[in-house]
């Protein structure tokens, strides 16, 4: 049934979902000298390449592949449109390995036809610190689908991760594979309801007119919490402290150093937005929130070509109520002209979604671990990890 996944160190459905399981690595690490030294074989017309993400010409090729062939919704109406700036940010965190940015080219034309990436990350799993790879941006050109190329690419990235003495990985997908550790739902908050309805992203609710819908989703012209401002470099130590304190309660959560917080959370225009609440008297940073920018191409639309979407990233509310913090971040996204604000039902997000007029989407996100077995499945609210 799962010809490839059957052969991999992941949980399998036959393992018995209800039985007590041991928690930890499935396969023990091999000696590095035993790891295959040469890349896996591709079909003879194709060759491996490393995609240097600092190179503009190569990034244009990666962008062209992904913007035409990456993830679509179930009805093929929208396709993720990760920008070059975003991909550069996502792929070069502290300690990244250039050769984990893997491409496949046609030998004759040198055209880039497939891509997969890994980045290193330290992840807490039920309190244990595990060195992992985060795998993302697996993409095969539409004309090369269903030829069993994906298993070769996954084995090749696995080999390169093993060469760095890393034996676990985490990834998310919209499809069900063996076996999700958790299944989450996307929620959407309309910011520009007229456009969302025009392009088929959402519908006019029964007994609602357009003008009543616009009014329903209306937001104030400025944020409400005193001391709300964009995060700056000087905030990195305080934000790191807030995140470490908050994330320690989740079963799965990143272990953020100051270097990683500075890299991932300092604002970058059209990539990542982060805000803090600085107490006006004490100047203490009490709360933090962030989103990343991931537009989608509208596949067949007359009037519009792109949907501008913000995705909730990391938040910590210690003093300001979370719902108030999230209302302010919605206001910021609206002021910056986003069409929709998306969030998953992870961490404590359930507590504000309905209140702030988010509605459930038709997409799910499944979280996976490679070569790590959990003794029990995890609830979305036990997840403290967001993958891009
Ligand atoms: S999820 C987004 C994945 N990308 C897309 O959906 C883009 C559009 N689709 C495509 O480009 C975020 C193709 O359909 C892809 C499959 C490339 C998806 N993950 O080549 P074949 C990520 O990037 C299995 C894993 O014939 P294809 C996370 C499928 O079950 N496996 O299919 C990536 C089957 O195996 P089975 C997936 O349609 C995580 C086999 O691939 C998958 O031409 C990667 C069929 O291959 C998916 N999303 O290409 C794993 N989709 O056993 C990392 C399909 O069922 C693991 N498959 O026969 C960890 C590695 C590191 C370890 C380190 C220690
Ligand atoms: C790797 N890091 O399905 C991630 N998106 O709900 C890769 N639906 O946008 C895996 N189908 O519900 C990603 N509108 C998996 C997700 C793939 C993309 C996807 C879903 C998530 C989505 C929209 C559009 C649906 C179009 C028809 C949706 C309803 C919005 C409505 C707004 C008003 C209140 C109720 C909800």
């Amino acid at each position: 049934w799962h010809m490839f996944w059957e052969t991999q160190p992941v949980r399998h459905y036959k393992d018995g979902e209800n039985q007590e399981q041991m928690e930890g690595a499935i396969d023990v690490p091999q000696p590095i000298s035993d790891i295959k030294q040469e890349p896996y074989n591709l079909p003879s017309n194709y060759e491996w390449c490393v995609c240097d993400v600092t190179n503009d010409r190569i990034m244009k090729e990666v962008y062209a592949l992904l913007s035409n062939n990456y993830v679509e919704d179930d009805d093929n109406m929208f396709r993720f449109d990760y920008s070059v700036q975003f991909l550069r940010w996502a792929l070069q965190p502290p300690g990244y390995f250039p050769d984990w940015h893997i491409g496949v080219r046609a030998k004759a034309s040198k055209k880039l036809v497939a891509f997969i990436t890994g980045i290193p990350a330290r992840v807490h799993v039920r309190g244990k610190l595990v060195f992992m790879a985060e795998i993302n941006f697996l993409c095969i050109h539409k004309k090369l689908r269903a030829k069993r190329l994906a298993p070769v690419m996954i084995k090749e990235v696995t080999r390169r991760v093993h060469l760095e003495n890393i034996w676990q990985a985490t990834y998310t997908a919209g499809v069900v594979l063996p076996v999700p550790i958790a299944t989450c739902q996307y929620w959407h908050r309309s910011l520009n309801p007229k456009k969302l309805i025009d392009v088929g992203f959402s519908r006019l609710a029964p007994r609602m007119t357009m003008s009543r819908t616009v009014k329903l989703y209306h937001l104030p012209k400025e944020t409400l919490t005193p001391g709300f401002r964009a995060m700056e470099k000087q905030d990195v130590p305080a934000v790191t402290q807030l995140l470490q304190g908050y994330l320690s309660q989740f079963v799965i959560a990143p272990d953020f150093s100051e270097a990683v917080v500075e890299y991932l959370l300092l604002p970058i225009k059209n990539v990542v937005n982060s805000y803090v609440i600085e107490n006006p008297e004490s100047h203490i940073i009490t709360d933090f929130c962030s989103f990343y920018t991931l537009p989608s191409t509208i596949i067949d639309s007359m009037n519009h070509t792109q949907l501008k979407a913000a995705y909730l990233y990391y938040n910590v509310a210690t003093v300001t109520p979370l719902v108030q913090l999230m209302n302010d971040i919605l206001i910021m996204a609206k002021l910056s002209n986003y069409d929709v604000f998306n969030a998953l039902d992870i961490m404590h997000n359930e507590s504000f979604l309905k209140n702030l007029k988010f509605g459930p989407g038709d997409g799910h996100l499944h979280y996976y671990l490679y070569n790590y077995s959990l003794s029990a499945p995890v609830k979305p609210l036990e997840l403290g990890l967001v993958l891009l």
Side-chain angles (χ1 to χ4, degrees), residues 2-5 137-138 140 145-146 148-151 158 172 177:
H2 285 293
M3 273 272 263
F4 168 64
W5 282 109
F137 307 114
L138 168 59
I140 296 176
R145 298 277 170 88
R148 311 300 300 179
L149 193 55
T158 302
T172 57
L177 304 163

Side-chain angles (χ1 to χ4, degrees), residues 150-198:
V152 186
M153 299 183 69
I154 293 166
K155 283 190 278 186
E156 181 59 17
V157 76
T158 302
R159 189 184 72 82
R160 296 187 197 192
V161 170
H162 285 168
L163 287 170
E164 303 297 342
N165 199 26
I166 295 174
W167 304 88
Q168 271 73 37
T170 183
Y171 46 105
T172 57
V175 296
V176 178
L177 304 163
V179 176
I181 58 163
T183 293
C184 306
Q185 184 158 40
Y186 281 99
W187 288 67
H188 307 281
R189 204 303 183 173
S190 302
L191 300 175
N192 185 357
K194 177 158 189 320
K195 176 171 168 185
L196 295 182
I197 292 166
D198 283 349

Side-chain angles (χ1 to χ4, degrees), residues 19 24 46 57 59 67 72 75 104 108 131-132 151 160 171 186 195 207 250 259-260 266 281 312 340 344 359 381:
Q19 275 163 249
Y46 299 97
R57 180 179 49 81
M59 281 313 280
S67 61
E72 299 178 6
D75 302 300
V104 174
F131 288 75
M132 291 198 190
R160 296 187 197 192
Y171 46 105
Y186 281 99
K195 176 171 168 185
R207 285 174 273 102
F250 299 106
V260 170
L266 267 191
E281 276 94 50
L312 188 57
V340 63
L344 291 164
L381 82 184

Side-chain angles (χ1 to χ4, degrees), residues 27 42 87 89 109 119 158 191 206 224 235 256 282 339 344 355:
D27 285 350
L42 283 168
L87 292 166
W89 169 68
S109 65
I119 54 167
T158 302
L191 300 175
L224 306 177
D235 304 320
F256 279 146
S282 67
D339 298 313
L344 291 164
N355 237 301

Side-chain angles (χ1 to χ4, degrees), residues 54-68:
T54 66
N55 180 312
D56 288 337
R57 180 179 49 81
I58 291 174
M59 281 313 280
K60 273 192 186 145
E61 296 180 277
V62 170
Y63 176 77
L65 175 71
L66 293 180
S67 61
N68 290 307

